[in-house]
Amino acid sequence: MPKHTLSVLVENHAGVLSRVAGLFSRRGFNIDSLAVGVTEDPNVSRMTIIVDGDDYTVEQVTKQLNKLIDVIKIRRLNPEESVQRELALIKVNATSATRSEIIQIVDIFRANIVDVSKNTLTIEMTGSEDKIAAFEEMLKQFGIKEMVRTGMIAIERGNKIIKAEASGDNGSVNGTVDE
Amino acid sequence: MTMTGAQVLVKALEDHGVTTIFGYPGAANAPIYDVLAGSKIRHILTRHEQGAAHAASGYARATGEVGVCMATSGPGATNLITGIATAYMDSIPIIAITGQVSTEVIGRDVFQEVDITGATAPFCKHNYLVKNSKDLSRIIHEAFHIASTGRPGPVLIDMPIDIQLGEAEYDEHKEPDIRGYKPTYKGHALQLKRIAEAIAQSSRPVICAGGGVISSAASDELLELVEKVGIPVTSTLMGIGSIPGDHPLFLGMLGSHGVSTANQAVNKADLLIIMGARAADRATGNTDKFAKQAKIIHIDIDPAEIGKNLGTHIPIVGDIKIVLQQLKKYLVSDYKKEWVDTVTEWKNKQLLKNADSINADDGAYVNPKYVLSVLSDLTKGDAILTTEVGQNQIWAANHYRTIYPGSFITSGGLGTMGYGLPAAIGAKIGRPDKTVIVVSGDGSFQMSMQELATIKQWNVDIKIILFNNERLGMVRELQKIKYKGKYFAVTLEGSPDFIKLAAAYGLPGEKVTKNSEVRNALSRALQNKGTYIVEFTVDPEESTL
């Protein structure tokens, strides 16, 4: 199934996340990841949702999300025209014998080492899904003890922005915008 | 002026024109009741919170206003749930106000605590847990706005007891501006043009009218279009009454429980215009085989309904009434005389067949289809009919002639047994000038029959038609057809003598066992001042269709 990136601006209230998550489970939509955080406007949060499904599913997800009163705006981001990043923290086995090799790999991937112990290295890695997957693959040989990921966040390239102010996009789906 | 939260709530309800609340008190909403006692708002005490929610729904459907119901926290709130879900599926504007435990103990599982906003989120248009008194007025104003505009639906407000008791300011009613909620009312000009062209080019158009035609009060506009162009109309269960049941171009309800002429017309149509309907499974059956020859136009105020169940060629988002008014200036079509003649011929054949199939001879049982056709003759459609769910609902849909929009009140989407009686109570209280009739079966009736006490206490005048086949007739029929006649758990042994039961509440009634007694018994019921129950003995083998 193809993956689609939705940027969703929502009111920054308690309960909004559960409404959105509940909608996905109730209507049988699959999500790969959901990341949420506050925006430049403290009253508005932005969710980045990676949806797994065909065009029908993504259209349904969009329309159903739009029905939630707390959802202000939704935009489907084209991967070609947006920057998509995820943060991963990876704790990997490291001995005196393997440590320098791991550091080299970290350098190649432009990741950072954020914690060191006698037996482990903890690495912070930012990148696209592919880059994180490639990095993970390289580290597997040393033994990954723990891995935690934020889920993808995304922003459009260039001058385009998604603002909460402009409203009335509920009817824009299906080429049926307001007169 | 400083007020308590409960006073703010009641003041806001009064300002929104609420005259009636259906509810049930408890400890967690006692401060609201304390204020209500001194208000002009009439409180109707039901015998179960579910009855309060259904009554609010019946009230809303009969009056076109927002219905209000109220319950305490915990079990009071959960008892509202079926009523809220019923209203949600049928897009009925109700507001449910629940008491909640004090904010500082929320989440500690205290006595009668339940997460009702979490529980109802899947089937509320929106809901609120009031955590701060300063939000209270805004929330109430928003709740009325959300419930009654766009695609209507239920909104729940959960009010912790400390919010009810605490100080709050009342803001005068303002038209709320909710940035995430801007319904589209006007149709897109380009789409309107495409619709007009499609109508002009079609030779076999059919309109499928849903509940949206009724909630947007678009019946006049629909009739005008239908008569100008010559488009036969079928309706969904929720759309019954959107066009007069005796109109020559009305074919009856479509779908698995509908009229064959209606289905035939949809199958032969080259253009199907769906208005304010969800194209749900009971209406379409298998969508791969539905209206295969037709180009499909879908008009709905909810963009999410368009394309959800059925592929659409021309979608248009908007309020049906406004869209139909806009469409007038684009319309260039000739009258579809040939198609109207063809469909009229089908319809006349069907009517003859129906007349033959409705047996009015005396036998061991009363024919429920005959009862409903006699009822149509007697009321001439000038009544509000509510139904329960099961065979009684389909008999009423297909054999009672509904003339006016909003006068057929039934649980279409959720199919809630026990809806009809409390909905009738709400309808009668909202429209005391109207005769209100509930069509019921012995199964559904027993799901809400405690509301007979509500009828008695508030002196509500309802004509109860009770079809008694001592069975859950529709499930039994399903077992007969799909499960090789292995009948299980469908016999209602142990039911009371319903006439004696009514008498115990001080309500008169009679039992009818012969077709020849039907007309007189119904006349007595309609002429009686006050509630009257007529029980008809029905054959368990009587078919739904």
Side-chain angles (χ1 to χ4, degrees):
Chain A
M1 284 283 187
K3 291 189 189 347
H4 308 270
T5 308
L6 297 178
S7 271
V8 185
L9 296 185
V10 299
E11 298 290 346
N12 186 14
H13 303 151
V16 179
L17 181 60
S18 92
R19 283 182 208 278
V20 170
L23 189 146
F24 274 85
S25 70
R26 169 163 89 251
R27 299 224 177 240
F29 302 138
N30 292 320
I31 33 180
D32 258 28
S33 73
L34 191 162
V36 55
V38 73
T39 63
E40 71 282 0
D41 175 350
N43 297 315
V44 178
S45 295
R46 177 157 165 166
M47 295 182 177
T48 305
I49 306 175
I50 310 296
V51 183
D52 212 3
D54 54 16
D55 281 346
Y56 167 83
T57 307
V58 180
E59 187 180 320
Q60 276 297 306
V61 168
T62 308
K63 286 173 165 181
Q64 295 295 343
L65 280 172
N66 250 324
K67 284 178 73 168
L68 297 179
I69 309 290
D70 290 330
V71 168
I72 304 163
K73 193 170 235 179
I74 302 172
R75 190 169 299 166
R76 191 164 157 185
L77 300 188
N78 181 345
E80 317 280 298
E81 291 163 22
S82 60
V83 179
Q84 308 209 351
R85 290 291 181 272
E86 186 175 11
L87 172 70
L89 295 172
I90 305 167
K91 191 173 287 182
V92 66
N93 287 324
T95 60
S96 52
T98 60
R99 191 168 290 131
S100 61
E101 192 182 344
I102 295 172
I103 291 170
Q104 274 185 358
I105 294 169
V106 165
D107 282 346
I108 292 166
F109 278 87
R110 292 187 203 135
N112 292 312
I113 291 167
V114 291
D115 188 59
V116 189
S117 76
K118 259 192 274 179
N119 306 318
T120 63
L121 282 173
T122 301
I123 304 157
E124 170 197 311
M125 164 78 184
T126 308
S128 65
E129 198 181 11
D130 290 349
K131 188 177 168 188
I132 292 178
F135 187 55
E136 185 188 355
E137 194 55 39
M138 286 304 291
L139 292 180
K140 268 187 186 162
Q141 54 181 313
F142 308 104
I144 294 173
K145 292 179 77 77
E146 198 177 2
M147 175 157 162
V148 52
R149 300 168 68 155
T150 57
M152 200 65 74
I153 57 170
I155 196 162
E156 280 171 300
R157 293 182 189 276
N159 292 330
K160 278 198 233 166
I161 50 168
I162 308 176
K163 274 280 179 201
E165 279 67 40
S167 57
D169 66 339
N170 283 6
S172 67
V173 192
N174 240 342
T176 45
V177 263
D178 254 322
E179 252 180 335
Chain B
M1 192 181 79
T2 310
M3 302 160 83
T4 65
Q7 285 171 330
V8 165
L9 171 70
V10 174
K11 174 88 170 81
L13 293 174
E14 288 170 348
D15 282 0
H16 281 279
V18 174
T19 56
T20 309
I21 291 175
F22 302 91
Y24 211 101
N29 63 1
I32 299 172
Y33 276 78
D34 188 49
V35 180
L36 271 181
S39 159
K40 286 180 301 219
I41 296 174
R42 186 180 183 202
H43 179 270
I44 304 292
L45 177 69
T46 57
R47 290 302 182 273
H48 189 293
E49 289 89 348
Q50 187 178 304
H54 289 329
S57 163
Y59 180 94
R61 292 172 77 161
T63 60
E65 292 160 21
V66 175
V68 181
C69 58
M70 195 173 270
T72 191
S73 64
T78 54
N79 277 346
L80 289 176
I81 280 181
T82 301
I84 293 170
T86 305
Y88 181 74
M89 285 289 265
D90 291 341
S91 309
I92 309 303
I94 65 168
I95 288 185
I97 298 157
T98 48
Q100 181 57 281
V101 301
S102 195
T103 47
E104 75 266 21
V105 294
I106 284 179
R108 296 208 214 147
D109 300 326
V110 297
F111 180 65
Q112 293 194 329
E113 180 187 356
V114 77
D115 172 14
I116 196 65
T117 47
T120 56
F123 40 79
C124 263
K125 188 169 172 188
H126 195 50
N127 62 24
Y128 296 92
L129 168 59
V130 187
K131 282 186 163 168
N132 195 324
S133 297
K134 74 172 170 43
D135 298 328
L136 183 59
S137 309
R138 175 185 57 81
I139 284 173
I140 301 164
H141 297 326
E142 283 186 7
F144 274 88
H145 177 65
I146 291 169
S148 61
T149 57
R151 178 180 180 177
V155 178
L156 179 137
I157 305 171
D158 197 22
M159 261 180 94
I161 193 163
D162 55 321
I163 301 287
Q164 298 171 38
L165 290 167
E167 282 188 4
E169 292 274 336
Y170 181 62
D171 296 334
E172 290 296 317
H173 172 55
K174 274 185 282 183
E175 192 71 5
D177 180 28
I178 308 167
R179 56 184 166 179
Y181 177 70
K182 307 278 176 197
T184 304
Y185 293 103
K186 274 164 75 180
H188 191 281
L190 186 70
Q191 299 299 86
L192 287 163
K193 212 176 285 172
R194 289 178 66 198
I195 291 174
E197 278 165 17
I199 292 173
Q201 284 160 10
S202 74
S203 49
R204 300 184 309 279
V206 171
I207 287 172
C208 169
V213 176
I214 294 166
S215 60
S216 81
S219 289
D220 289 347
E221 287 78 6
L222 172 62
L223 260 183
E224 198 185 326
L225 171 69
V226 163
E227 288 174 350
K228 190 172 171 202
V229 183
I231 310 180
V233 182
T234 176
S235 81
T236 64
L237 184 59
M238 287 298 296
I240 288 176
S242 56
I243 178 166
D246 57 358
H247 193 280
L249 287 170
F250 181 61
L251 306 177
M253 181 171 76
L254 85 167
S256 55
H257 294 77
V259 177
S260 63
T261 317
N263 290 328
Q264 192 180 357
V266 169
N267 285 333
K268 288 280 183 301
D270 66 353
L271 180 70
L272 179 64
I273 309 170
I274 302 171
M275 297 181 185
R278 296 182 292 131
D281 52 337
R282 262 197 174 190
T284 64
N286 181 351
T287 49
D288 292 339
K289 294 180 185 155
F290 179 73
K292 270 320 345 147
Q293 302 179 36
K295 188 178 243 190
I296 293 182
I297 296 172
H298 197 162
I299 312 172
D300 206 288
I301 198 158
D302 180 357
E305 287 306 340
I306 298 176
K308 185 178 86 178
N309 297 330
L310 207 59
T312 304
H313 300 92
I314 310 177
I316 183 162
V317 178
D319 178 86
I320 312 279
K321 190 184 186 80
I322 295 170
V323 168
L324 291 181
Q325 282 168 351
Q326 287 176 293
L327 185 64
K328 271 197 269 185
K329 74 170 181 215
Y330 297 94
L331 217 53
V332 286
S333 180
D334 297 330
Y335 192 82
K336 316 278 181 190
K337 186 170 185 313
E338 206 176 318
W339 173 234
V340 167
D341 290 346
T342 309
V343 173
T344 306
E345 199 177 306
W346 295 345
K347 181 178 167 176
N348 289 339
K349 263 191 210 155
Q350 171 87 30
L351 286 177
L352 279 176
K353 225 169 92 187
N354 284 359
D356 288 346
S357 77
I358 295 185
N359 179 10
D361 297 339
D362 277 344
Y365 296 102
V366 177
N367 179 355
K369 297 162 188 170
Y370 173 66
V371 172
L372 288 158
S373 63
V374 172
L375 186 67
S376 294
D377 290 347
L378 293 174
T379 64
K380 307 267 183 286
D382 186 19
I384 293 172
L385 195 85
T386 75
T387 81
E388 294 289 352
V389 165
Q391 289 185 303
N392 69 81
Q393 181 183 38
I394 306 302
W395 290 331
N398 290 333
H399 298 279
Y400 178 79
R401 214 176 304 109
T402 302
I403 305 294
Y404 303 104
S407 68
F408 185 79
I409 296 178
T410 195
S411 167
L414 200 67
T416 306
M417 292 172 72
Y419 176 74
L421 187 66
I425 294 172
K428 182 67 186 181
I429 286 168
R431 289 300 303 272
D433 55 317
K434 288 279 181 193
T435 299
V436 176
I437 304 162
V438 53
V439 175
S440 184
D442 52 325
S444 288
F445 184 74
Q446 292 185 73
M447 283 208 185
S448 282
M449 68 183 178
Q450 72 280 0
E451 302 304 341
L452 289 174
T454 311
I455 288 173
K456 186 66 188 173
Q457 181 176 6
W458 303 101
N459 201 19
V460 189
D461 178 358
I462 289 167
K463 314 308 176 192
I464 302 169
I465 291 177
L466 176 60
F467 293 126
N468 187 353
N469 57 6
E470 299 177 348
R471 302 290 188 286
L472 296 173
M474 202 175 233
V475 184
R476 185 182 180 276
E477 192 176 52
L478 179 76
Q479 291 179 347
K480 180 178 176 176
I481 297 165
K482 290 258 172 78
Y483 299 89
K484 299 176 181 162
K486 196 166 82 186
Y487 298 125
F488 184 65
V490 290
T491 307
L492 292 166
E493 280 163 8
S495 294
D497 178 325
F498 293 107
I499 304 304
K500 276 190 187 160
L501 180 83
Y505 286 99
L507 301 170
E510 63 184 289
K511 187 168 178 168
V512 175
T513 55
K514 285 196 176 70
N515 284 329
S516 57
E517 297 167 359
V518 166
R519 190 171 289 269
N520 285 339
L522 287 175
S523 299
R524 276 191 292 277
L526 291 169
Q527 279 155 21
N528 186 60
K529 291 217 181 312
T531 289
Y532 196 90
I533 178 166
V534 191
E535 178 189 353
F536 298 94
T537 312
V538 171
D539 186 353
E541 294 292 336
E542 184 68 50
S543 64
T544 303
L545 293 176

